[in-house]
Structure formats: C-alpha cells, structure tokens
Amino acid sequence: MMSKSLRRTCFVSLAKFRIRIALAFALCFVGTVDHTFSQNQDELLGTFINQWCLDCHSSPRPKADLDLGAALDALKNDDMWPVWRDVQARLIAKDMPPKGEKPSDAEYQELVAQLKPIVAALPITDDGRVRTTMRRLNRAEYANTIADLFFVDFNRDDLPVDEIGHGFDNNGDVLSISPLLFEKYMNAAERIAQAAFVDLQSAEPALIQQTASELHAERGAHLNKEGWVLFTNSVVEGEIDAVHSGRYRFEAEVAGKQAGPDLVEMALFLNGVQIKKFEVSGDMRLQKIGSEIDLKSGVSTFGVGFLNDYYEPKNPKPRERDRNAHLSSISLEGPLDIPSPTKLQVLLNAKTEHLPESERLNEQVRILASMAWRRPVDDTEVEALLNIVTELVREDQSDAQRLRIALTALLVHPRFLFRIEADPRSGEAQRTIDAWEWATRVSYFLWSSAPDAILTEAAASGALNDSAGRKMQLDRMIEDPRAAALAERFGAQWLQIDGLDQLRPDPSQFGDFTDELLSAMRAETVLVFDAILKEGRPMSDLLEADWTFMNEVLARHYGIPGVQGSHMRRVSLDPELPGVPDRMGVFRHASVLLATSNPTRTSPVKRGKWVLEVLFDDPTPPPPANVDGLPEDGRVTGKTSLRALLEAHRSDPACASCHKRLDPLGFALEPFDAVGRWREHENNLPIDDAARLPDGTLLDGPQGLRDLLLARPDFIRSCCRHLLTYALGRGLSKDDENQVDEILNGIGSNPSLRALVFAVIECESFRTRRAEISDPSESSSSSNARRNSS
C-alpha cells in the first residue's frame, strides 16, 4: 500500500489545480438584432398579442405567470425579456391560444417570422456560459480509460454515481471532486497500479486473511468472541479482492460440535457456488479445510457453509441434542503459479528494450505519463515523478515497485482526473484547440475513453490539422468496437433509458417480467442506435426502422416467433405479424415504453413528456404546486378508461395548458402497454389512440405520431442539439445555437447519424476553447442593442 507521504504529496498537487466551478448567471444579451426589424413589425407583434393573448396573459393575474403586456412594454424600451423564446415555440406548435377561435396558418407564420430577430438577441441558457468547465472524468470514462490504457479491469460501481447536467453525466459544471472522492481515487490508483505491474523479482504468493469479525451471514449463524456459530444450515461469507488472476488456495479455520450419527459436514463456496465439501471430525477442535481454485482478478465472495444440521432436543444425552459448526477465519493465498508480465509491462518493455538498462525506467515513466495525461510530457514533469519514486521506494526494491508508485501518482494527478485545456491568451476571446486536445475531445465523445496510439500518433504527425485527416480518424474510430460507447452513454441518456435497470413493473400484473428481459430491452435500443451510426444509416431510421435486435426472451415478450438463443441478433420485422406495427423504430421499443410508464399502467403524460423533451426538444414546465394528479401506481378500474380519467383531469384550468400538449402525444402510444407489448383493449374497452393536437392536427395512433415527426425538422434539430451538448460537456450558448443552424444547413433534411457526428466535431464550438468571462456584461451587448443597431 502507498505511504502517507505520497498521499500528502498527491493531495497537495491536486489542491493546486482544484477547480472551483462558479455558477455565474449572465443575464445580459449576446449579439445584436437584425437591422430589418422595423417599427411596422413592432406594431404587427403588438396587434397580434393584443388580439390573441392578452385576455389571459396580462396583469393583474396573468395565466402561467406570463405577462405579455409587460413584455411588450419592455420591448418598446429595448428591454427584451426571455419569454419571447417560449412564445415563439408555442406559436410554432400552434397550441396557443388553447381553445376557441385561432389565428390562420398565415398569421401564425407571419408572427413567427416577426419574432426571429427578437429571439436571436436572447441568451439561450440561464447562465450564459459559453465555454466548457474543465471536466473531471466521469466514472464510466474513468473505468474505460483504465482498461484501454493500462489493461486493468476496474468496476465503475466502486466510484459514486455522477450527477446529471443538461441531461448527461459528462457535464463539466457538475463533475466536481471532494476529499471523499479523492480518497476513493487514491485507493483505486493503488489497486490499479498493483494489478498493472507484477513484481517478477519477488514473486511470492500473497496471503490475505479475514477474521470472523470481517465476515457476515444473512441467517442461521451468530457471532461470538470465538468466531461464528452456524446453528442451522447456513453460509458465512466475506469479500476478498484478488489483485492478479491465477491459481489460489482458499482455506477456512473451522470446528464441529458433533451430535447424531454423522460427522459435521461443511463446504467452501466461491461466489455462491459450492466448490468442495468436507467432513469435520473431532469435537470443537480447530482445523483447516481448503481447496485450490482458479480465480480472476477483482472482488470475489468466499463462503463457508454448514450442510447437515441436526437437532433432537429430547435426546437423553445433552451433548447429543444439537449439531453445530464453527468458523474462526478464512484466508486466500496466491497466485500460487509463477506470474507472467502483465500486458502493460510487455508493452513498456517492447518500447524501451533498445535503450540501455539505466535509461529504461525513466523512459517507461515518460511513456506512462504521456498515456495518462493524453499529451507529450517534458523532462521537468518526468523528473518530478521520479523524485516521488525516489522518495518512497528503497534502493533495493524492483522496477515494478517503482513503476507502481509512478502510476499511482499519475492516476491521482489532475492531468489524469481532469481534461485540462489551455485558456486563450490574455485579450483573446477564444483559441483553436491543439491536436492533442482535439484527440482527447473526440475520443471521449465517441469512445468515452482516452485516445489510442493511432490517434495520438496522428496528433503528433499533424494529420489532425485538416478536415480530411480528422474525417479519416473519425471513420476509423466509428468502426472500432469502442464506438458502442456513443450508443451506451449518449444514446441511452438522450432517449432517457439509462436508468432502466432500476425499473420494475408491478409483479401482480407482469409476473413474467425478468432481469434477463430488462437487459434485452435496453440492449435492443442501444444496438439499433449503434447500427445506425456504424452503417451510415439516416437518422430517420430511429423513427421508422423496420428492423431491430432481439434475443429469444425479448422476441417471446413481443410475440415474434422464430428467434432462439440468448444472443442479440438483427431481426427484420414482418408487418403482417400481430403486435408488429409497420416501421415504428424506437416508438415500439419496450425500453422506451417501460421507461415512460408507471408500475401498474401506461402513462400518456410521461410518454407525451418524453416525445416533447427527447424528439421535439420542447420540454414543458414542471406542474404547478398543489395540483392533484392521477395516482402514480393507481390501477384503472371499473368501466372507465385511463384516457377518460386524464380528460377529466385536463379540465382543471391549472393543468390544461400543458396537458393539451402532452396528452395527445401520449394517447397516440396507448396501443403499447406498460411493458411495451401491443394491445387492442384496456380494461375491456377498445384502445382509442386517435388524438388531436392543439393546432388541430389529427394523429392516427403511433404511425400518425411517427409521420408528424418525419414531416417536421424538430427531430433532427433535437438530435443535433443534444449531441452537441454531449460532445461539449455543457449547455449550449447563443453562439452554439448559430453552430446548430450551420450544422443543419450543411447536412440536409435527413442526414445519416455519422454525417451529423462529423459535422459536430468539425464545428467551431467543438474545435475552440473560449476565454473565461469575468464580467457578464462583457459577453453581451447592452439591453439597448436594438436601438444601437437601428
């Protein structure tokens, strides 16, 4: 284990670079307004708002706290309130005014056009942040990086769950670090370094012992000062972390209290599976039972069980009435076989074997530092690492011990834990990131991991300095299996199925639901997203694909015959089969439908909210306080449909404005039950999946919802905005919105996902780092922007 001296050294180093994330709220405006916004257009806006909006949205009690009268007055004084962005969104959706007579399509379109120069002058985010906070690796990125660079499997669950910002767990503003988290990083670094380097000069088996107080049992045993008493058939367990894979000896110190005709029988267990059974002779005489086992590195559960309980309370001989077993301790010794160099050691030796022996250690430390810090390192940095090694390692210790210390120090250094980029020079608004920084950005974007050797070589050679070179690397990286991380991390979070493993439908209604089925549900959506990326398929396939991925358990769930086996494979969907609606893409994925349901029933509100947030990128505000909704887990009983209950709920004026947008979208998906199966009836009543949007558009079930999205640009824009948010690790600014427009103009109306990814990594926001803004007023023009531009 590492000494306190190195812990103190590393913590001081981290403290020097500790990031203090400031959540500053820049509420001023960026940019100027189009010069063509004239007094005549001001009058058109005022006329429309007066005619159609002010009956509800004006003082003294404006609905939804939206006072458009005051906003109009402010606009006349060149003070543009952010409410106009919401107004524009509602006019595009044509869901305001909510009832009665409505403007004509031409009037809607005209006013949307009038609002464009106003909205163009508004900040996009509440805080106006225009650059990415220096990001800590999230736990998925940390585990992937450790595996890819140092060939050590690390369980990401050993680190705390990361917070979510702007919908994703790679947002720089929420990826902070605390002393407790640093301690976890220190412990992880020590274990990783030990696993990465086998000490071949002193390769002796390690002995790990656990006393009775370190063990635990769920039932049938109790702990006393002498150890565990197993008074009925039961198992006492402990967890041991094996650093290296290999052959080990697992032993337990036990004793038996004999009674009845048979000797005490005990067994050893590994991860819940019995591996060997023993007869324990003698009466309360400590003895060892053991067995050699092949073990993989990592944490395993070791157990000792009592197998043949005997109890005869009326036996005339008191000592013959009760048979029990005793456990004092367990131990694990190994690896017993001769260890081989690890993959990392083989790699380092191959890269330095041409050097004199006296220079190899220094060069190996340099290589490790360059890998960990994702850029070249200079002599001063290598010397600082070697000084730590010299301070903490005795002269007679091996190079493996020295490299363990060096790697531990590297793994708790800010340059590993954080993705650090140079700021622009003083007075510069932004700088183009260098090739190493770009390589890091794109590798964590696509792979959730560090750049590989090919990408770092491209950075060193200058191959990343032009678009063609970057495109070549992108194509290579997408073909790499690691690109599945974009589906696993971005796709699952964007489609809001990342927490699917925490969901369980009501077992009284869905008793055949299993963890295996749940896993297959998530895998289906992730594999479809990954195939669309790798095969260069259009984004619209997410909405209208007639193919998917299934295994036998998922196909049985859907009612699709002919799929056998546990592995996921590509399946073409026959629209003639019952329960297989034609070309429905993710709309029919059980992962999405389960994630947007309640445990006992579907939730049109959740499903409508999902469509608005994910596919239209048009989220609704949270529900008002003190409004009674439908019970989360309440069943629909009697002869009433869920739709009828929701329509009654929507009659509440406080709920109507949002539910008129949410409910029709959710009703269109009602033919799918709470676990994603097709159905024709609910509560013995035919499913009514027809729905009318606030603008009068009629949706004819799931297919109607799909066709609506395919006919509008909202879905592609939503994907682009979410993808750029994920790629940058922050919320979007006004300048980023201009980048979104440029990206969409350049890739066409139905681009491939691959083309969209390339456009994102080529855009200015991805390839530049902006300066910190100390004064929010510096990031925007004043509220007199309209006057100054006139």
Side-chain angles (χ1 to χ4, degrees):
M1 299 296 287
M2 183 169 292
S3 70
K4 293 182 179 178
S5 175
L6 180 56
R7 289 176 180 266
R8 183 167 58 253
T9 301
C10 295
F11 191 81
V12 170
S13 174
L14 183 66
K16 291 179 180 178
F17 293 91
R18 181 73 55 83
I19 301 170
R20 300 181 180 276
I21 298 174
L23 297 176
F25 294 89
L27 298 178
C28 298
F29 306 117
V30 182
T32 58
V33 181
D34 194 316
H35 287 250
T36 61
F37 193 84
S38 65
Q39 181 178 357
N40 182 51
Q41 289 169 315
D42 268 332
E43 292 173 356
L44 288 173
L45 176 61
T47 299
F48 186 98
I49 297 297
N50 274 282
Q51 179 179 355
W52 297 106
C53 308
L54 291 188
D55 284 350
C56 297
H57 297 291
S58 61
S59 298
R61 297 185 187 85
K63 287 189 176 180
D65 292 324
L66 176 60
D67 191 342
L68 292 181
L72 278 175
D73 291 339
L75 191 61
K76 294 175 183 177
N77 296 320
D78 302 311
D79 185 5
M80 295 176 292
W81 292 6
V83 299
W84 295 113
R85 182 175 293 107
D86 293 331
V87 171
Q88 185 187 52
R90 302 283 58 79
L91 294 176
I92 291 173
K94 300 179 184 177
D95 55 13
M96 288 290 163
K99 59 184 178 180
E101 185 181 359
K102 287 179 174 287
S104 65
D105 287 346
E107 288 175 304
Y108 273 122
Q109 293 171 11
E110 183 179 24
L111 192 63
V112 168
Q114 309 310 321
L115 285 172
K116 281 186 178 179
I118 295 177
V119 173
L122 299 176
I124 296 302
T125 56
D126 289 339
D127 60 6
R129 184 176 296 280
V130 294
R131 79 170 194 163
T132 303
T133 300
M134 188 167 63
R135 275 188 276 174
R136 170 177 61 78
L137 301 185
N138 65 28
R139 63 180 192 157
E141 293 168 340
Y142 183 95
N144 290 343
T145 301
I146 294 299
D148 291 342
L149 293 186
F150 309 117
F151 312 107
V152 176
D153 289 332
F154 178 82
N155 185 358
R156 69 178 187 175
D157 291 337
D158 290 346
L159 296 176
V161 175
D162 298 299
E163 293 188 46
I164 303 297
H166 293 277
F168 300 103
D169 62 3
N170 69 343
N171 184 277
D173 287 340
V174 299
L175 289 172
S176 59
I177 193 168
S178 65
L180 177 60
L181 180 56
F182 178 78
E183 185 68 22
K184 288 183 177 291
Y185 280 135
M186 178 61 75
N187 293 336
E190 291 172 345
R191 291 168 50 203
I192 292 163
Q194 192 174 11
F197 294 102
V198 173
D199 190 351
L200 299 175
Q201 296 180 24
S202 57
E204 296 181 359
L207 179 63
I208 304 172
Q209 288 186 304
Q210 286 191 342
T211 62
S213 61
E214 298 174 275
L215 308 177
H216 58 85
E218 292 186 0
R219 59 177 181 80
H222 67 261
L223 180 65
N224 61 29
K225 63 181 181 180
E226 295 177 351
W228 283 92
V229 178
L230 289 74
F231 53 83
T232 187
N233 291 354
S234 55
V235 179
V236 177
E237 295 179 326
E239 292 183 341
I240 299 179
D241 187 358
V243 175
H244 299 289
S245 299
R247 191 144 185 90
Y248 285 78
R249 181 163 184 80
F250 170 31
E251 289 188 337
E253 191 171 34
V254 300
K257 181 182 180 301
Q258 308 297 339
D262 302 317
L263 292 175
V264 170
E265 289 186 358
M266 301 186 74
L268 300 179
F269 291 80
L270 176 61
N271 295 324
V273 177
Q274 182 178 312
I275 56 176
K276 193 168 184 179
K277 184 168 66 172
F278 302 84
E279 286 187 341
V280 179
S281 60
D283 196 46
M284 293 307 296
R285 176 174 58 83
L286 284 176
Q287 55 196 283
K288 288 186 177 180
I289 59 174
S291 177
E292 290 190 6
I293 56 174
D294 291 317
L295 195 63
K296 291 185 177 180
S297 62
V299 178
S300 297
T301 301
F302 297 83
V304 180
F306 176 34
L307 304 181
N308 62 335
D309 182 36
Y310 173 85
Y311 183 56
E312 189 179 347
K314 295 182 179 180
N315 192 305
K317 298 180 180 181
R319 295 181 61 86
E320 290 291 323
R321 292 174 182 172
D322 192 10
R323 180 190 302 148
N324 294 322
H326 289 252
L327 171 65
S328 177
S329 65
I330 65 173
S331 65
L332 183 70
E333 184 179 15
L336 303 176
D337 42 1
I338 299 174
S340 302
T342 65
K343 290 183 69 173
L344 181 61
Q345 285 173 297
V346 171
L347 174 68
L348 293 176
N349 290 335
K351 288 188 173 185
T352 58
E353 60 184 0
H354 65 284
L355 296 174
E357 189 172 347
S358 59
E359 298 178 15
R360 289 180 185 174
L361 177 65
N362 289 23
E363 183 60 22
Q364 288 181 353
V365 170
R366 181 189 301 276
I367 293 170
L368 284 175
S370 180
M371 293 164 64
W373 295 348
R374 304 173 283 273
R375 63 166 181 80
V377 295
D378 57 37
D379 292 341
T380 303
E381 291 167 320
V382 174
E383 184 178 353
L385 287 167
L386 291 171
N387 287 340
I388 294 174
V389 172
T390 301
E391 177 186 351
L392 298 174
V393 181
R394 299 190 313 270
E395 290 186 5
D396 62 340
Q397 290 185 289
S398 66
D399 281 352
Q401 293 284 357
R402 298 173 189 277
L403 289 170
R404 284 177 181 174
I405 297 297
L407 182 57
T408 302
L410 284 167
L411 295 183
V412 294
H413 195 284
R415 286 199 172 274
F416 175 75
L417 295 175
F418 290 88
R419 290 165 50 185
I420 298 176
E421 298 174 345
D423 281 335
R425 295 176 182 176
S426 178
E428 293 183 348
Q430 66 182 33
R431 58 173 282 270
T432 300
I433 57 176
D434 65 29
W436 302 97
E437 293 166 334
W438 187 90
T440 295
R441 283 195 182 189
V442 79
S443 66
Y444 281 100
F445 173 35
L446 292 178
W447 290 348
S448 293
S449 188
D452 64 355
I454 297 175
L455 191 56
T456 56
E457 287 169 8
S461 69
L464 301 181
N465 294 341
D466 61 69
S467 179
R470 294 189 291 268
K471 178 68 163 57
M472 183 180 300
Q473 287 300 317
L474 175 75
D475 289 338
R476 177 188 71 84
M477 294 175 73
I478 287 177
E479 297 304 321
D480 191 285
R482 283 171 287 187
L486 191 67
E488 283 281 355
R489 304 310 311 144
F490 167 72
Q493 291 184 87
W494 172 43
L495 297 174
Q496 298 182 5
I497 63 166
D498 198 39
L500 199 68
D501 59 342
Q502 305 298 318
L503 301 180
R504 294 294 184 279
D506 181 14
S508 67
Q509 295 188 61
F510 307 102
D512 55 351
F513 195 91
T514 64
D515 288 344
E516 183 185 4
L517 174 59
L518 187 68
S519 178
M521 286 177 174
R522 188 184 193 279
E524 176 188 19
T525 305
V526 169
L527 288 170
V528 166
F529 189 99
D530 187 54
I532 291 173
L533 174 67
K534 284 186 165 59
E535 297 170 15
R537 301 185 70 88
M539 284 294 304
S540 58
D541 267 20
L542 270 174
L543 303 181
E544 60 172 350
D546 60 355
W547 54 271
T548 190
F549 286 82
M550 293 183 190
N551 61 6
E552 183 175 357
V553 67
L554 185 59
R556 189 187 314 121
H557 177 75
Y558 287 137
I560 296 175
V563 179
Q564 296 180 339
S566 60
H567 69 283
M568 301 290 290
R569 84 293 308 267
R570 193 172 186 135
V571 176
S572 295
L573 299 175
D574 183 354
E576 299 302 320
L577 289 173
V580 185
D582 188 24
R583 307 187 71 87
M584 286 302 302
V586 296
F587 287 120
R588 49 145 296 278
H589 282 204
S591 60
V592 169
L593 297 161
L594 174 65
T596 54
S597 295
N598 290 329
T600 61
R601 58 169 173 81
T602 61
S603 174
V605 175
K606 287 183 179 179
R607 290 180 176 178
K609 183 174 182 288
W610 180 85
V611 171
L612 283 175
E613 289 183 355
V614 174
L615 305 181
F616 282 104
D617 195 25
D618 185 18
T620 60
N626 302 320
V627 173
D628 292 331
L630 298 178
E632 280 284 309
D633 300 328
R635 293 180 173 85
V636 180
T637 58
K639 295 183 178 180
T640 303
S641 68
L642 176 59
R643 179 167 185 149
L645 291 177
L646 279 168
E647 287 175 348
H649 175 71
R650 196 164 69 236
S651 64
D652 186 335
C655 307
S657 60
C658 286
H659 279 276
K660 286 190 175 182
R661 299 176 59 212
L662 294 168
D663 295 357
L665 302 173
F667 290 149
L669 296 175
E670 274 294 274
F672 299 102
D673 72 4
V675 291
R677 297 175 300 198
W678 186 263
R679 59 181 182 170
E680 303 287 345
H681 294 82
E682 177 216 6
N683 201 23
N684 297 319
L685 297 174
I687 293 291
D688 180 5
D689 60 4
R692 191 175 297 278
L693 298 178
D695 67 353
T697 300
L698 182 65
L699 297 183
D700 185 15
Q703 291 90 342
L705 178 57
R706 174 202 62 198
D707 294 344
L708 173 72
L709 276 155
L710 290 173
R712 292 174 54 168
D714 306 72
F715 166 66
I716 301 298
R717 186 176 188 89
S718 178
C719 183
C720 182
R721 291 190 77 254
H722 284 95
L723 193 66
L724 186 58
T725 299
Y726 179 81
L728 298 178
R730 60 170 171 81
L732 302 187
S733 71
K734 177 178 179 291
D735 287 345
D736 297 320
E737 289 295 331
N738 296 333
Q739 294 284 296
V740 171
D741 291 336
E742 290 182 15
I743 289 171
L744 296 177
N745 290 336
I747 60 177
S749 60
N750 188 23
S752 69
L753 179 56
R754 184 181 288 222
L756 180 57
V757 167
F758 183 64
V760 164
I761 67 171
E762 281 293 284
C763 77
E764 182 181 280
S765 294
F766 189 84
R767 295 194 296 112
T768 58
R769 179 164 180 80
R770 296 166 182 167
E772 184 71 75
I773 299 172
S774 57
D775 181 356
S777 65
E778 297 176 10
S779 69
S780 63
S781 58
S782 71
S783 61
N784 293 323
R786 292 182 65 233
R787 180 187 301 119
N788 294 336
S789 66
S790 301

